[in-house]
Amino acid sequence: QVTAKTAFLFILPQYNVSVPTADGELVQYHYGLKDLVTILFYIFIAIILHAVVQEYALDKINRRLHLSKVKHSKFNESGQLVAFHLTSVIWCLYVVVTEGYISNPRSLWENYPHVYLPYQVKFFYLCQLAYWLHALPELYFQKVRKEEIPRQLRCIALYLLHIAGAYLLNLTRLGLILLLLQYLAEFFFHMARLVYFTDENNEKLFNVWAVVFVVTRLFTLTLYILVIGFGLPRVESQALDPERGNFFSFLFNNILFRMSVLLLVCLFQASVMWRFIHFQLRRWREYWNEQSSRKRAAAGTKQQTKPLKRDSGYHENGVVKAENGTSPRTKKLKSP
């Protein structure tokens, strides 16, 4: 009995409460320090799953492809993220559909703060935090190159900041939709990288990723404007109340603060789109330079394979004559 209670502390989400509803009572959850124990347990689960995917899938493919060390590291990174993003997209889509966040967009800001969470929402956030925390020791286990460590640390820190911020500030509903859009674009990007490593002439999936990326950025910007600009300012409880989880909705009642936040969001999305456009232009430029170099090389090989006439004389009635009019064929001297 004692070990069972301890095991439940590691495996199951804590801080469950019974919330009265019209149909009876509904069990929901809020967050606390005991969540750290649950996250620690799922960090070890994520490390085990990471090793399983690496050993039984990625290593076998790498042996067949014979990639270089640089491509080998990038292939492993993209392979792990493809498995994670695909699982997260399916799971997140199931949660937002069953909870009605897509069919009813008003639920993203209605009754804010969303202190009490359904079981599947809280469990999803705990697993997300566990995965991105497990990525820190994986930098050592996977022997990531020193040049790649700052980029990956920055990526991990941004994900942890956004997921933990949505979880602790009771913006879990908005966070779910944003994660769904982000993971969808990332899935296509890393899938395109895997296809490119197997066949460097196949870049069609990068074009699909480009379209998905632009569409998800537009949806993300629209969602920010809808929730921050129109949703949160209409929340009934506008007073600062940390005990009830209302941390900053009163700030959005101030139009100056609201416009400043929207301006920062727009500038950030604009910077992301600028980097994306710059990346696409550089990729297209490299592609056309490569195509032009191939055409020049093909034209050069055709000129080299064309037969050359090296006759020293000229033709007359189909017979080759020497320059002085005599036959170019040497005469045989009769033996005396």
Side-chain angles (χ1 to χ4, degrees):
Q1 191 74 16
V2 177
T3 56
K5 291 181 179 179
T6 306
F8 289 151
L9 180 64
F10 284 89
I11 298 173
L12 298 177
Q14 304 299 310
Y15 303 104
N16 56 317
V17 293
S18 297
V19 179
T21 60
D23 299 330
E25 290 186 350
L26 181 64
V27 178
Q28 292 191 330
Y29 297 81
H30 60 97
Y31 59 81
L33 291 177
K34 291 181 181 179
D35 290 341
L36 297 176
V37 179
T38 309
I39 291 173
L40 178 63
F41 174 76
Y42 285 101
I43 286 175
F44 293 115
I45 298 297
I47 292 175
I48 295 172
L49 294 177
H50 190 113
V52 169
V53 173
Q54 183 68 42
E55 182 175 356
Y56 291 98
L58 298 179
D59 286 345
K60 291 183 178 180
I61 298 175
N62 277 320
R63 294 191 194 101
R64 295 180 180 180
L65 296 178
H66 303 290
L67 300 174
S68 62
K69 290 184 178 180
V70 177
K71 290 184 177 180
H72 180 83
S73 177
K74 292 182 178 180
F75 184 87
N76 289 336
E77 178 190 357
S78 293
Q80 293 287 347
L81 289 175
V82 161
F84 168 72
H85 288 316
L86 179 60
T87 305
S88 297
V89 165
I90 296 174
W91 188 4
C92 189
L93 183 62
Y94 173 78
V95 172
V96 297
V97 169
T98 55
E99 294 296 332
Y101 299 152
I102 293 181
S103 59
N104 183 21
R106 290 179 177 272
S107 61
L108 297 178
W109 62 81
E110 282 183 345
N111 301 322
Y112 179 83
H114 307 133
V115 179
Y116 299 111
L117 309 175
Y119 172 82
Q120 59 181 354
V121 174
K122 176 166 183 174
F123 189 61
F124 177 82
Y125 270 93
L126 294 180
C127 291
Q128 291 294 315
L129 291 171
Y131 179 85
W132 290 109
L133 286 172
H134 111 281
L136 294 173
E138 285 294 343
L139 295 177
Y140 173 77
F141 295 147
Q142 294 292 321
K143 298 179 180 179
V144 178
R145 296 183 305 138
K146 293 182 179 179
E147 298 81 5
E148 293 291 325
I149 289 179
R151 178 184 63 82
Q152 295 200 23
L153 283 177
R154 184 167 59 251
C155 178
I156 294 170
L158 287 174
Y159 272 113
L160 286 174
L161 178 64
H162 285 80
I163 296 172
Y167 184 65
L168 297 176
L169 297 177
N170 302 313
L171 290 169
T172 51
R173 299 180 184 182
L174 176 62
L176 281 173
I177 306 297
L178 294 177
L179 278 178
L180 177 61
L181 295 173
Q182 176 66 22
Y183 285 164
L184 186 63
E186 289 293 314
F187 167 75
F188 280 100
F189 173 72
H190 290 288
M191 194 67 197
R193 286 181 71 182
L194 291 181
V195 174
Y196 175 77
F197 288 140
T198 56
D199 182 11
E200 293 187 355
N201 295 322
N202 191 350
E203 297 185 359
K204 295 181 180 179
L205 206 55
F206 277 110
N207 298 328
V208 178
W209 164 71
V211 175
V212 174
F213 181 86
V214 173
V215 172
T216 53
R217 290 302 100 191
L218 292 176
F219 271 104
T220 300
L221 184 59
T222 304
L223 197 62
Y224 272 118
I225 296 174
L226 181 64
V227 175
I228 297 177
F230 300 98
L232 289 177
R234 298 181 181 180
V235 174
E236 296 179 359
S237 178
Q238 294 289 346
L240 177 63
D241 191 1
E243 294 183 357
R244 293 187 63 251
N246 193 344
F247 295 102
F248 57 86
S249 64
F250 70 99
L251 294 174
F252 290 100
N253 199 23
N254 187 343
I255 187 172
L256 182 61
F257 178 81
R258 187 162 69 247
M259 296 303 295
S260 300
V261 172
L262 288 176
L263 179 61
L264 290 176
V265 170
C266 292
L267 289 176
F268 175 75
Q269 295 298 325
S271 65
V272 172
M273 286 299 300
W274 170 251
R275 289 197 299 269
F276 169 77
I277 293 172
H278 181 71
F279 168 77
Q280 290 295 326
L281 291 176
R282 184 180 61 184
R283 189 170 71 89
W284 289 337
R285 193 183 303 114
E286 292 175 354
Y287 173 77
W288 288 114
N289 289 337
E290 183 180 358
Q291 291 296 321
S292 61
S293 62
R294 286 181 179 180
K295 290 180 180 180
R296 287 195 298 268
T301 53
K302 286 183 179 179
Q303 291 179 358
Q304 290 179 1
T305 56
K306 187 176 181 180
L308 299 175
K309 295 181 180 179
R310 297 183 178 181
D311 298 331
S312 58
Y314 64 94
H315 289 77
E316 181 178 337
N317 296 328
V319 180
V320 179
K321 298 291 184 179
E323 293 181 357
N324 56 1
T326 61
S327 175
R329 185 179 299 172
T330 57
K331 296 181 178 179
K332 294 182 180 180
L333 297 176
K334 295 182 179 179
S335 60

